[in-house]
Amino acid sequence: LVPLLLEQLEDYANNDAQDIHSKYTISDVSELTIDNKNYILDYFFDANYSNMIEPNEQYRLLYEKRFTKNFSANDFSDQEYSDLMACFNLVWFDPYWVEKNDELRAFIDKGEGYTLQDRIRIIEIQRDIIRQIIPLYRKRWEENKIEISTSPYYHPILPLLINFESALVAKPNTQLPQIASQSRDDTKEQILKSFEKFQKIFGKTPSGIWPSEQCISPEVMDLFTEIGVKWTIADEGILSKTLNKEFIRNFRGINEDPFDLCKAYSYETG
């Protein structure tokens, strides 16, 4: 769990935060500007067509109107904007919640003719679900049913944060910014802040770190050891270079010799 994500979940759960999608969704369509409407037409179809848009008749019709002809924002009625925003938010609910929540199921069955109050309530249901996320993780962790790892607080690429020139190890021809980067203290602070956030939310700190994009380096590993991190993870490419072994995959993408990928490794500091 990225600490910044936990912070954002807390903001949404407390009803303090609005992203641009939710802000428009709970707005009266009559008060939207042309720029607002163009944004909605550009970004409220960001969903898988086959699995999310096509099964919803009204959403599909709005999609076809948007993408099969030359159009302007004025070609869509206030009700169509209302339906589009409602449909967009509804299709992003996991089927688990649709099956579990009768009110949500009723909104989906309605199909069209959504009101402002409908849209406000849809966003409220989103937040009701968000409020359950952190407590459920905490409960499962306390029951020892899961282990939770963290990442650097703002999800930076740690080897680069310590030293830009570490990029040259992987790609010697990389063009680096013309500024110096020796930020070991900043890197350490990113990790310690993560631990502080976890202590505040969960009452304990994780034993493992999932480094951003699975990027590690000897300097990062030494820092983990210094802080007391017990485990971390790297990607297949790093392991390949470490072992000087190429992992061969067949035409279906299945690794022909996965043994080395299916074991843990110990790291010793210099």
Side-chain angles (χ1 to χ4, degrees):
L1 295 174
V2 179
L4 182 59
L5 171 61
L6 294 173
E7 186 177 307
Q8 293 168 328
L9 289 174
E10 289 178 316
D11 287 343
Y12 280 113
N14 295 328
N15 287 313
D16 295 326
Q18 291 284 355
D19 57 61
I20 192 168
H21 289 76
S22 63
K23 178 182 177 181
Y24 288 162
T25 299
I26 63 174
S27 298
D28 190 324
V29 176
S30 65
E31 297 177 359
L32 296 174
T33 67
I34 291 296
D35 286 342
N36 298 158
K37 292 178 177 179
N38 278 321
Y39 183 93
I40 292 168
L41 293 173
D42 285 341
Y43 293 104
F44 276 65
F45 291 103
D46 283 349
N48 181 277
Y49 179 81
S50 298
N51 297 330
M52 301 167 79
I53 296 177
E54 187 176 33
N56 184 311
E57 182 178 6
Q58 179 67 350
Y59 202 13
R60 176 181 58 80
L61 292 173
L62 292 169
Y63 178 92
E64 292 174 353
K65 182 173 181 177
R66 164 65 176 83
F67 290 102
T68 59
K69 58 171 285 187
N70 293 326
F71 75 97
S72 72
N74 291 325
D75 292 334
F76 290 79
S77 67
D78 284 358
Q79 185 60 62
E80 287 176 319
Y81 280 109
S82 183
D83 288 351
L84 172 55
M85 290 187 288
C87 289
F88 168 78
N89 283 280
L90 288 170
V91 300
W92 277 104
F93 281 97
D94 190 277
Y96 168 85
W97 291 107
V98 176
E99 181 177 345
K100 186 176 180 179
N101 189 307
D102 292 338
E103 185 180 13
L104 187 55
R105 178 74 256 172
F107 276 129
I108 293 175
D109 290 342
K110 184 174 182 177
E112 60 182 318
Y114 296 100
T115 66
L116 173 59
Q117 290 306 312
D118 289 339
R119 289 184 275 117
I120 291 173
R121 181 57 191 147
I122 290 168
I123 296 299
E124 289 175 348
I125 294 174
Q126 287 182 5
R127 294 176 189 270
D128 289 341
I129 293 172
I130 288 173
R131 292 186 188 100
Q132 300 179 49
I133 295 174
I134 292 177
L136 182 58
Y137 273 112
R138 184 188 302 114
K139 181 175 184 291
R140 292 291 186 260
W141 201 7
E142 290 172 349
E143 296 169 341
N144 291 320
K145 292 183 176 179
I146 62 172
E147 179 176 2
I148 303 178
S149 64
T150 187
S151 76
Y153 200 96
Y154 292 104
H155 211 63
I157 305 298
L158 292 182
L160 296 179
L161 189 58
I162 290 179
N163 187 349
F164 281 160
E165 292 187 0
S166 65
L168 301 177
V169 176
K171 294 185 177 181
N173 296 323
T174 300
Q175 292 187 351
L176 300 177
Q178 298 301 308
I179 56 175
S181 171
Q182 298 288 338
S183 304
R184 191 177 190 276
D185 289 343
D186 289 347
T187 306
K188 186 175 182 178
E189 183 69 12
Q190 289 273 344
I191 300 167
L192 294 178
K193 281 179 65 68
S194 296
F195 284 0
E196 291 172 7
K197 187 68 175 179
F198 265 65
Q199 186 66 42
K200 180 179 179 181
I201 292 179
F202 299 109
K204 56 182 176 179
T205 56
S207 60
I209 281 186
W210 187 287
S212 311
E213 312 309 325
Q214 299 183 4
C215 292
I216 59 173
S217 67
E219 294 81 8
V220 170
M221 296 295 284
D222 290 345
L223 183 56
F224 285 168
T225 302
E226 175 186 324
I227 293 173
V229 176
K230 295 181 180 179
W231 65 265
T232 188
I233 188 167
D235 70 7
E236 184 176 313
I238 291 176
L239 182 61
S240 174
K241 289 183 177 295
T242 301
L243 300 179
N244 194 27
K245 173 182 177 178
E246 183 179 0
F247 294 107
I248 307 299
R249 297 179 180 274
N250 64 22
F251 69 95
R252 291 187 296 172
I254 297 175
N255 199 308
E256 296 180 354
D257 180 18
F259 176 77
D260 290 315
L261 293 171
C262 302
K263 57 185 291 190
Y265 294 85
S266 296
Y267 176 82
E268 296 183 2
T269 62

